[in-house]
Amino acid sequence: MQNINHFRMSHLEFSLTFVSLNLGSIHNLFIIALVARVLGITVNSFLLDDTPVEIIVSVFLLTVTYCVSKGVQGVIHINIMLLPIILVILFGMFLFAGIHFDPTEITPVLSEGIIPIFNGSFSTSHPFVGGLYFFFMLMAYFKKEDLRSLPINLVSVTIPFIYMIIIILSYGVLGFEITKATTFPLMEVVKTLEVPGGFIERLDSIFLTVWILALFTTVTISMLITVLVIKDEFLKDKKAPLLLPTLVFISFILTFFPDNLSELERYSADLLVPLGFTLTGTALTYGFLTIWLKNNNG
């Protein structure tokens, strides 16, 4: 009986791991492409309007390639350095935006009931669900004594909290109709802010720079995990000097696969959201079933 349970558990682990690693690598490449395209459009619209989007994306991906080439330590160090800067400026912006916040713009709450929220929740759920599997994949490279539940749970709660603040501030500062018609409402919110004393004229440029740093950390982590998974699970001990350049090239091609911003949004909703749910569900199923089988083998 124990041998049967061991075989069943091994088969389960292999199946779920194979599915999650393949889908995870594909999902990471699409995430990189989506973020790079959004970054290119945003920088071209607000900062470098005479620079082609292709050049902006190329420079961004080359910088990501250099960072990822330094390995796990290089990526972790750059994230540790940039994270405090991003959070301080972001929450500082939240405080300044709170001065212009109008609570009447977000009331009454649930005036049309909860059904419209459910109808729109699936297409907007990727930032809340799609990134959770990052932690499951990254934890495989941690030592057992270094794993702590508190930091992981804290990050899982903090990210949706920041997104909720951004959404509420956008509605409260700009109004519902303007937010609905604006492509990048957060940038418009920043444009309405003024620093006391007037010693900073272009607050939106500073915030855009910080936002680029945030996207940079996201893409470096995604690319690093993809490289590590492919090397460890598929290439084993083989040397693959062209792996990273190949993945960057594929990401660049995928970045310009959508023709415009509308197709980019559909591409996110139709492809990335189902993939995010599948990966998160696979990871959770793998965890719960592994614990259940080990307890039964007990």
Side-chain angles (χ1 to χ4, degrees):
M1 183 66 181
Q2 185 175 359
N3 292 334
I4 295 176
N5 287 334
H6 176 73
F7 171 78
R8 187 193 314 163
M9 183 175 173
S10 300
H11 177 70
L12 176 68
E13 288 179 348
F14 172 78
S15 301
L16 292 177
T17 302
F18 183 80
V19 170
S20 61
L21 291 178
N22 278 278
L23 291 180
S25 300
I26 295 172
H27 183 268
N28 285 350
L29 292 178
F30 279 112
I31 283 288
I32 294 168
L34 174 67
V35 172
R37 184 65 179 273
V38 171
L39 179 138
I41 294 173
T42 308
V43 173
N44 180 259
S45 301
F46 293 98
L47 197 61
L48 304 174
D49 52 349
D50 293 330
T51 305
V53 176
E54 293 81 2
I55 300 299
I56 297 172
V57 172
S58 299
V59 173
F60 177 72
L61 290 178
L62 286 174
T63 309
V64 169
T65 304
Y66 176 76
C67 182
V68 174
S69 66
K70 300 303 178 182
V72 177
Q73 289 186 348
V75 173
I76 290 177
H77 288 165
I78 197 72
N79 277 267
I80 292 174
M81 181 181 68
L82 295 179
L83 183 61
I85 301 173
I86 295 170
L87 291 179
V88 167
I89 295 181
L90 183 64
F91 282 99
M93 187 275 294
F94 290 162
L95 292 176
F96 283 116
I99 301 174
H100 304 277
F101 184 79
D102 184 5
T104 60
E105 295 289 348
I106 61 172
T107 55
V109 180
L110 298 178
S111 59
E112 299 180 3
I114 200 170
I115 300 301
I117 294 178
F118 282 121
N119 292 337
S121 60
F122 182 77
S123 60
T124 58
S125 60
H126 187 265
F128 301 95
V129 178
L132 289 179
Y133 80 95
F134 275 163
F135 298 108
F136 295 105
M137 297 178 74
L138 200 56
M139 282 191 295
Y141 299 95
F142 281 25
K143 295 180 180 179
K144 185 177 180 180
E145 57 271 16
D146 294 333
L147 292 175
R148 299 289 185 273
S149 59
L150 180 60
I152 296 173
N153 293 329
L154 186 61
V155 171
S156 302
V157 173
T158 303
I159 295 175
F161 177 72
I162 291 176
Y163 278 117
M164 289 176 62
I165 293 179
I166 291 173
I167 293 170
I168 294 173
L169 278 178
S170 299
Y171 286 140
V173 175
L174 301 177
F176 178 75
E177 295 299 329
I178 297 178
T179 302
K180 186 171 65 173
T182 304
T183 305
F184 301 105
L186 185 59
M187 290 302 302
E188 299 300 328
V189 171
V190 175
K191 284 184 176 182
T192 64
L193 305 182
E194 294 183 1
V195 178
F199 59 91
I200 298 179
E201 295 183 3
R202 294 292 304 275
L203 190 62
D204 55 329
S205 298
I206 296 176
F207 180 77
L208 181 59
T209 304
V210 174
W211 185 68
I212 292 172
L213 295 179
L215 295 183
F216 176 76
T217 58
T218 300
V219 173
T220 52
I221 293 174
S222 300
M223 184 63 77
L224 175 67
I225 293 176
T226 305
V227 171
L228 291 177
V229 166
I230 294 176
K231 280 186 175 180
D232 293 348
E233 301 298 333
F234 299 105
L235 299 179
K236 301 301 181 182
D237 296 329
K238 297 179 182 178
K239 293 184 178 180
L242 297 179
L243 175 60
L244 181 56
T246 302
L247 293 177
V248 172
F249 177 75
I250 294 173
S251 301
F252 182 83
I253 298 300
L254 293 175
T255 298
F256 295 98
F257 181 74
D259 292 332
N260 50 51
L261 196 59
S262 299
E263 284 193 11
L264 188 67
E265 293 174 351
R266 289 198 301 269
Y267 153 87
S268 174
D270 297 340
L271 180 63
L272 294 183
V273 172
L275 267 178
F277 272 105
T278 302
L279 287 167
T280 304
T282 302
L284 293 175
T285 302
Y286 175 84
F288 284 121
L289 287 180
T290 300
I291 293 174
W292 181 75
L293 288 173
K294 285 184 177 180
N295 290 337
N296 284 350
N297 290 339

